[in-house]
Amino acid sequence: MKIAIIGADGQLGSDLVKTLKEDRVFPLYYPDFDITKPEKTKKDLSKLAPEIIINTAAYNKVDESEDNPYEAFLLNSIAVRDLASICSSLGFVLVHFSSDYVFDGRKGEPYVEEDSANPLSVYAVSKLAGEFFVTNTMKKYFLIRTCGLFGEAGCWGKGYNFVDVMITLEKQDKPIKVINDQWVTPTSAAELAQKISELIRTKHYGLYHLTNEGQCTWYEFASTIFSLTGKKPDITPVDSETYGAKARRPSYSVLENKKAKEIGLTEFSHWREALKDYLIKKGYKQG
Ligand SMILES: NC(=O)c1ccc[n+]([C@@H]2O[C@H](COP(=O)([O-])OP(=O)(O)OC[C@H]3O[C@@H](n4cnc5c(N)ncnc54)[C@H](OP(=O)(O)O)[C@@H]3O)[C@@H](O)[C@H]2O)c1
């Protein structure tokens, strides 16, 4: 398959490039390829003429989005609208990513694709607007909501991923405070890339929740990182209010991979297994 990957050196993008190596992949890198410039984007993409375009580009800084709504909306909504209409007019399939943060957390049990969104932050509203632009502009799309990604490249938008931050703080011997009242599912970018590789070979277009199995709080996630690596840092669980992040986040944003299971995609591993693999790959833990 001829596949263009936007944001090819990002956290998920770089795992997609590795996973799709048997395909004809065209990695596209920012700033040379910039989806906020629709005319050049259209020109470049029509020249490439891929069957599938995978867009991993996003403004991922959740707290900073509260002060920079324009930047969040430009990349997460307006550029996505332009990309969706380019793909629609040129007949390309679009794979686009959204977030567990489109939900408000009040359900208190895993969210399925049919559940109603109610975003609590600028970032979450901008991602949901991006979703609407895809679903209302296109017929052939895979729209994927995921959660708590950890990949070898780290999240370029943020400059880190949660696992690497915890490992660094422990090395620096700093006291660590981690939120213990937000439930999520940490998800391996490498494993997500494998599922995307399976999904795009089907014609089952639409909205999907794709995360590893299981759930935990950020504190439990951090504690597991340390128990698997045999470290004993000074770590304290805190609630969201005490932590005082700028943007509101859902207290529960665990996603159920309902549609992926219905169409028979191979199942994700438990997040603990995926974490173990990641720690070994990064050399944080012996195999
Ligand atoms: N990370 C998470 O925990 C998480 C959770 C839920 C959903 N998601 C979603 O999953 C997707 C992938 O996330 P990620 O963690 O892989 O993000 P990432 O590491 O920040 O990667 C984004 C990539 O897009 C590039 N990019 C930035 N601005 C661009 C532009 N204007 N035009 C084209 N490319 C641009 C970045 O390049 P530079 O690095 O050079 O800026 C980077 O290569 C995103 O849609 C995100 O919202 C992520």
Side-chain angles (χ1 to χ4, degrees):
M1 272 176 140
K2 198 171 171 186
I3 304 169
I5 300 179
I6 301 172
D9 55 1
Q11 177 164 242
L12 179 59
S14 52
D15 272 316
L16 281 164
V17 171
K18 277 186 232 157
T19 304
L20 298 169
K21 59 182 181 302
E22 307 290 318
D23 291 279
R24 283 182 70 200
V25 167
F26 295 87
L28 301 170
Y29 301 101
Y30 178 81
D32 181 47
F33 185 88
D34 181 349
I35 60 167
T36 66
K37 300 193 170 127
E39 276 169 32
K40 184 173 180 297
T41 298
K42 185 168 188 177
K43 211 167 124 202
D44 289 352
L45 290 178
S46 38
K47 221 186 276 169
L48 271 182
E51 293 158 80
I52 298 195
I53 293 173
I54 306 183
N55 176 36
T56 72
Y59 187 84
N60 279 326
K61 296 172 185 164
V62 179
D63 291 315
E64 285 89 327
S65 294
E66 297 296 312
D67 292 326
N68 302 314
Y70 178 78
E71 283 181 53
F73 274 85
L74 180 63
L75 195 46
N76 295 342
S77 320
I78 295 162
V80 176
R81 187 197 91 162
D82 292 334
L83 191 61
S85 77
I86 291 167
C87 289
S88 177
S89 68
L90 296 174
F92 307 146
V93 173
L94 177 65
V95 181
H96 179 69
F97 296 90
S98 185
S99 167
D100 56 317
Y101 282 3
V102 298
F103 294 113
D104 63 16
R106 279 188 285 176
K107 185 177 178 193
E109 57 186 84
Y111 283 96
V112 295
E113 288 85 350
E114 293 81 7
D115 284 322
S116 300
N118 185 29
L120 303 176
S121 65
V122 169
Y123 166 79
V125 175
S126 73
K127 291 298 281 184
L128 185 62
E131 287 193 10
F132 284 133
F133 284 130
V134 171
T135 56
N136 293 337
T137 309
M138 305 192 67
K139 288 200 175 71
K140 293 186 178 176
Y141 61 83
F142 296 102
L143 174 60
I144 293 156
R145 292 188 187 132
T146 190
C147 173
L149 288 181
F150 56 92
E152 275 189 83
C155 178
W156 279 48
K158 296 178 187 161
Y160 58 83
N161 74 39
F162 184 84
V163 184
D164 297 336
V165 170
M166 290 300 125
I167 298 280
T168 305
L169 289 176
E170 189 280 330
K171 276 193 190 133
Q172 293 167 347
D173 221 11
K174 288 193 174 147
I176 305 171
K177 288 192 168 67
V178 188
I179 289 178
N180 200 27
D181 59 359
Q182 289 172 21
W183 291 80
V184 293
T185 302
T187 296
S188 150
E191 218 176 309
L192 176 58
Q194 286 162 14
K195 304 306 166 196
I196 291 159
S197 173
E198 273 184 53
L199 184 60
I200 58 176
R201 285 162 228 285
T202 75
K203 297 266 184 275
H204 295 295
Y205 303 114
L207 170 66
Y208 288 87
H209 288 178
L210 293 182
T211 66
N212 276 108
E213 290 293 317
Q215 52 183 278
C216 60
T217 65
W218 292 106
Y219 174 75
E220 191 184 342
F221 185 25
S223 302
T224 309
I225 295 166
F226 295 129
S227 66
L228 288 172
T229 51
K231 306 288 183 194
K232 291 194 171 73
D234 171 9
I235 178 170
T236 314
V238 292
D239 60 28
S240 304
E241 209 179 314
T242 311
Y243 192 84
K246 191 148 207 171
R248 280 175 74 203
R249 287 160 170 83
S251 57
Y252 187 95
S253 58
V254 175
L255 305 177
E256 168 64 26
N257 302 336
K258 180 171 168 255
K259 269 182 54 192
K261 288 174 187 168
E262 280 169 4
I263 66 160
L265 224 62
T266 58
E267 287 201 19
F268 276 86
S269 63
H270 193 280
W271 65 265
R272 264 198 204 91
E273 292 308 309
L275 174 62
K276 229 184 272 171
D277 288 348
Y278 177 81
L279 294 171
I280 292 168
K281 246 197 256 169
K282 289 278 278 198
Y284 297 142
K285 174 181 166 58
Q286 292 203 322

